[in-house]
Amino acid sequence: MCGIVGYVGKQDGVPFLLEGLQRLEYRGYDSAGVAAVKNGTLRVHKAEGRVRGMADTLPKRVAGPLGIAHTRWATHGPPSDVNSHPHVDTEGRVAVVHNGIIENAAVLRAALEADGVVFASDTDTEVVAHLVARADGEELEDRVRAALRQVEGAYGIAVCDATVPDRIVVARNGSPVVLGVGNGEMFVASDIAALVRHTQQVVFLEDGELATVTADGFRTFTLDAQTTNKTATEVDVTDDDYSRGGHAHYLRKEIGDQPEAVRGTLRGRLDHRFATSRLGGLEINARELRAIRRVKILGCGSAYYSGIAGAHLIETVARLPADAEPASEFRYRSPVIDPETLYVAVSQSGETADTLGAVQEVQRKGGRVLGIVNVVGSSIARATDSGIYLHAGPEVSVASTKAYTCTLTAFALLALHLGRVRDLGPGDGERLIAGLEALPAQIEEVLETEEHIAAVAGRIADATSAFFIGRVAGFPVALEGAQKLKEISYVHAEAYPASELKHGPLALITPDLPTIAVVPDDQMLEKNRSALQQVAARGGRLVVVGHSDPGDGVADDVLLVPRSEPELDPILLGIPLQLLAYHAAVALGRDVDQPRNLAKSVTVE
Ligand code: G6P
């Protein structure tokens, strides 16, 4: 969603701002803009549409050694040139860019209008520009503090003032802000992707924290003007991690990253001696682990689907009751929090507002939350009581692939750990370890079948709708397969437990509606075969994903994956479905990496 970039230094910052905005494009946005200060004059340029379009029409005079920039995802007011950020006060002196939602914007706006302020846009953000401009206070940081004390809601914000041309003031409350420390220059962003080309030295602000940023450094403090002493940390992410690596799309690159990404998740975590996993961030001792009676997994989108598969894994391996629920629903239904339940929050970005809200709801009621998160230092990683990082590397494409697969791998590690402090024997522990170690090479094997998968995708891409079916361990795989297809190809797709077909959806089966059936060689194989027969008997086209051809000529196409340990099957079965969705989307000419209406990281409700 929205992105913030800022620069203060000695050279013209606008090239950095534009490049930073391009790095944030993957998050999803509808408009973009830049403000720059030079010789005490503030100039703004902004436009609906792509960063490139805005940059192409950027007047030369919008330049200077200090600037802020933004990609907007509309919340208050439709996408338009005037609603794009930065927003300025009436005199065009103060400029503001903002991520998040100001909940009392209507009240603040009415009060300002009653005082004679004429608004240029429909946005909540413009309120802040006027409040800062009208606030009392000697320093810009005092005026920003005074303005933000009136504001309720979530924000990541950057402010500059033409009369104080050496500084940017930034603030965070629920929406990330990170500072990048350069040599005689400083960077500001909402996501490290925008600044790792220039520095690896970063400072993550906490909620309720502000910073004054000048070319020579920064000072952090709270809304009550208490200084917080922060030092920079080094991130191990470089600009290369954000490149497409020669692929046409980030999504394809990230599908191909999966062998290495899974290695990253497993690295240093397999303990052959005790046939278990070692999870340094778990911070729950064996006695406490044994006291856990249930596991409840929370996440949104693909993170939620990975949670359904994870719950099945935990229940099977550790024999603990486990289930998953969309974090977006959980947080609002006044859930009963049980002290003997381990809550697990799953999030690639670590910034999804609904998942963070669910974590806070559990903690407010005294529950314990473990995070499974990819982005190091993200809000959910910091809010949770303990955690497992995926170490999958940055995921740029909106649709999740490698983070999803690595989350399943992390669930297998967690299930193994929970199992081994309970009744799972060392033989089974060793068997699962061997299965996990084999995964990267097996993913490579699936990737080698891409050409065949692409041909199958070409045959289903013209369908207006598709069914995905599976049973027990195969069902969450079907859910995520359908999710991938609808997200990036816009083909309507629905997942059903294969057992439920005859209770309704069978009525829709015709030769025009393909069914993608997840059919591993497991205990459900025979029952799955009869579901396949029911589809075939109605002339439905069948694509089977599994370990072998189900026979009888029932499948029109078969996508094979290598056999794994049965508990780990869902990890490999998901890979062909990612490639299937990818090639269907390419065949249909879709914007694969930035599907319409979707954002990578949904930081507002
Ligand atoms: C958005 C993305 C999905 C993602 C979900 C959860 O909806 O479009 O691809 O699965 O958010 O994101 P998270 O970062 O919390 O895993």
Side-chain angles (χ1 to χ4, degrees):
M1 302 197 105
C2 304
I4 290 175
V5 193
Y7 174 87
V8 48
K10 311 246 165 6
Q11 49 178 318
D12 179 17
V14 169
F16 165 78
L17 296 176
L18 295 176
E19 169 204 293
L21 291 183
Q22 272 165 350
R23 282 288 187 235
L24 298 185
E25 284 192 298
Y26 78 94
R27 301 173 65 89
Y29 70 104
D30 50 55
S31 44
V34 175
V37 177
K38 190 176 177 183
N39 303 329
T41 305
L42 174 80
R43 291 199 168 91
V44 176
H45 177 67
K46 53 191 191 171
E48 187 187 348
R50 292 290 184 207
V51 172
R52 180 160 299 281
M54 185 275 290
D56 286 348
T57 54
L58 187 77
K60 277 212 173 56
R61 62 176 192 283
V62 182
L66 181 142
I68 55 177
H70 194 256
T71 45
R72 175 176 188 247
W73 173 280
T75 54
H76 284 67
S80 71
D81 293 353
V82 283
N83 285 338
S84 314
H85 299 208
H87 290 284
V88 296
D89 69 307
T90 317
E91 291 171 29
R93 173 169 65 84
V94 173
V96 175
V97 291
H98 162 226
N99 293 352
I101 293 181
I102 294 169
E103 282 158 13
N104 61 340
V107 177
L108 295 171
R109 186 183 182 109
L112 286 162
E113 281 174 340
D115 222 15
V117 173
V118 177
F119 275 75
S121 76
D122 311 319
T123 64
D124 51 343
T125 305
E126 191 184 338
V127 165
V128 181
H130 295 298
L131 288 177
V132 173
R134 295 159 71 90
D136 292 327
E138 209 174 305
E139 303 286 343
L140 177 59
E141 63 186 52
D142 300 328
R143 298 195 286 278
V144 174
R145 281 193 305 107
L148 291 181
R149 291 170 79 125
Q150 300 177 59
V151 162
E152 287 163 22
Y155 51 77
I157 212 158
V159 183
C160 63
D161 182 331
T163 62
V164 209
D166 68 338
R167 64 195 55 201
I168 300 172
V169 176
V170 295
R172 168 189 170 130
N173 189 39
S175 197
V177 175
V178 57
L179 316 181
V181 182
N183 196 358
E185 56 188 0
M186 285 285 296
F187 310 95
V188 167
S190 53
D191 177 331
I192 56 167
L195 45 80
V196 285
R197 178 146 177 246
H198 301 273
T199 181
Q200 268 59 50
Q201 297 294 323
V202 302
V203 181
F204 294 102
L205 293 195
E206 305 291 332
D207 280 346
E209 207 169 29
L210 296 85
T212 295
V213 186
T214 59
D216 300 320
F218 64 94
R219 195 176 82 74
T220 54
F221 49 93
T222 65
L223 273 180
D224 304 327
Q226 301 297 317
T227 300
T228 55
N229 287 315
K230 298 284 279 261
T231 47
T233 50
E234 185 161 339
V235 285
D236 66 353
V237 176
T238 67
D239 198 47
D240 282 351
D241 292 314
Y242 290 95
S243 81
R244 281 207 301 267
H247 292 280
H249 301 101
Y250 280 106
L251 191 87
R252 177 60 191 81
K253 182 217 164 220
E254 286 159 8
I255 291 173
D257 281 347
Q258 291 181 112
E260 196 45 40
V262 167
R263 276 188 203 106
T265 306
L266 294 176
R267 192 161 295 128
R269 286 170 166 170
L270 296 175
D271 178 347
H272 285 277
R273 185 163 166 230
F274 292 107
T276 186
S277 63
R278 256 196 313 250
L279 297 167
L282 202 56
E283 290 172 12
I284 310 176
N285 67 35
R287 187 170 306 158
E288 291 170 314
L289 283 177
R290 284 191 62 91
I292 293 167
R293 293 278 158 265
R294 291 191 72 86
V295 178
K296 175 95 187 170
I297 301 163
L298 303 164
C300 297
S302 294
Y304 163 53
Y305 293 136
S306 73
I308 302 177
H312 182 71
L313 247 164
I314 289 169
E315 198 152 309
T316 313
V317 172
R319 302 307 296 149
L320 266 173
D323 72 337
E325 184 175 335
S328 46
E329 289 292 290
F330 175 86
R331 64 181 292 202
Y332 285 117
R333 65 165 180 80
S334 191
V336 175
I337 300 303
D338 167 20
E340 295 185 330
T341 296
L342 174 66
Y343 294 86
V344 182
V346 180
S347 178
Q348 187 288 127
S349 63
E351 302 297 345
T352 301
D354 279 321
T355 310
L356 184 58
V359 169
Q360 289 161 344
E361 177 68 6
V362 175
Q363 290 176 328
R364 194 179 62 74
K365 293 179 172 172
R368 182 208 294 265
V369 194
L370 169 79
I372 297 186
V373 173
N374 193 31
V375 178
V376 175
S378 57
S379 301
I380 294 169
R382 283 180 296 154
T384 42
D385 304 292
S386 56
I388 305 173
Y389 276 123
L390 298 180
H391 300 303
E395 190 179 71
V396 173
S397 192
V398 166
S400 185
T401 51
K402 64 175 174 175
Y404 168 84
T405 300
C406 288
T407 303
L408 295 193
T409 308
F411 271 123
L413 290 170
L414 179 63
L416 174 60
H417 198 81
L418 289 170
R420 289 287 293 129
V421 295
R422 292 189 155 67
D423 299 331
L424 188 78
D428 276 327
E430 210 24 75
R431 180 177 63 75
L432 287 171
I433 288 180
L436 286 165
E437 283 176 327
L439 281 176
Q442 291 180 313
I443 296 173
E444 299 277 10
E445 274 183 59
V446 181
L447 297 178
E448 279 160 22
T449 65
E450 178 168 10
E451 216 174 299
H452 169 59
I453 299 173
V456 177
R459 292 196 276 278
I460 64 158
D462 60 353
T464 50
S465 194
F467 273 151
F468 284 70
I469 58 170
R471 290 194 76 162
V472 191
F475 178 54
V477 180
L479 280 168
E480 173 60 11
Q483 171 88 340
K484 282 285 91 55
L485 188 68
K486 66 185 130 186
E487 276 179 312
I488 59 173
S489 76
Y490 315 152
V491 173
H492 169 246
E494 249 186 282
Y496 266 95
S499 52
E500 283 289 303
L501 256 190
K502 56 185 175 299
H503 298 300
L506 210 49
L508 294 176
I509 300 289
T510 65
D512 301 329
L513 185 132
T515 298
I516 293 89
V518 181
V519 186
D521 281 0
D522 62 9
Q523 83 281 12
M524 301 313 296
L525 183 62
E526 283 315 313
K527 293 199 182 305
N528 270 323
R529 278 208 176 110
S530 60
L532 299 181
Q533 295 290 358
Q534 289 170 18
V535 174
R538 281 140 190 101
R541 155 172 273 288
L542 261 173
V543 178
V544 169
V545 185
H547 299 121
S548 58
D549 189 320
D552 301 334
V554 77
D556 295 278
D557 291 295
V558 182
L559 310 181
L560 293 177
V561 303
R563 276 168 218 279
S564 177
E565 295 307 322
E567 299 90 332
L568 307 177
D569 276 342
I571 302 178
L572 291 174
L573 290 163
I575 313 282
L577 297 182
Q578 297 171 344
L579 285 168
L580 191 74
Y582 172 70
H583 285 286
V586 170
L588 292 164
R590 305 299 192 219
D591 188 348
V592 174
D593 285 329
Q594 288 161 43
R596 68 183 179 207
N597 308 337
L598 298 181
K600 179 71 182 154
S601 169
V602 184
T603 50
V604 295
E605 285 186 52

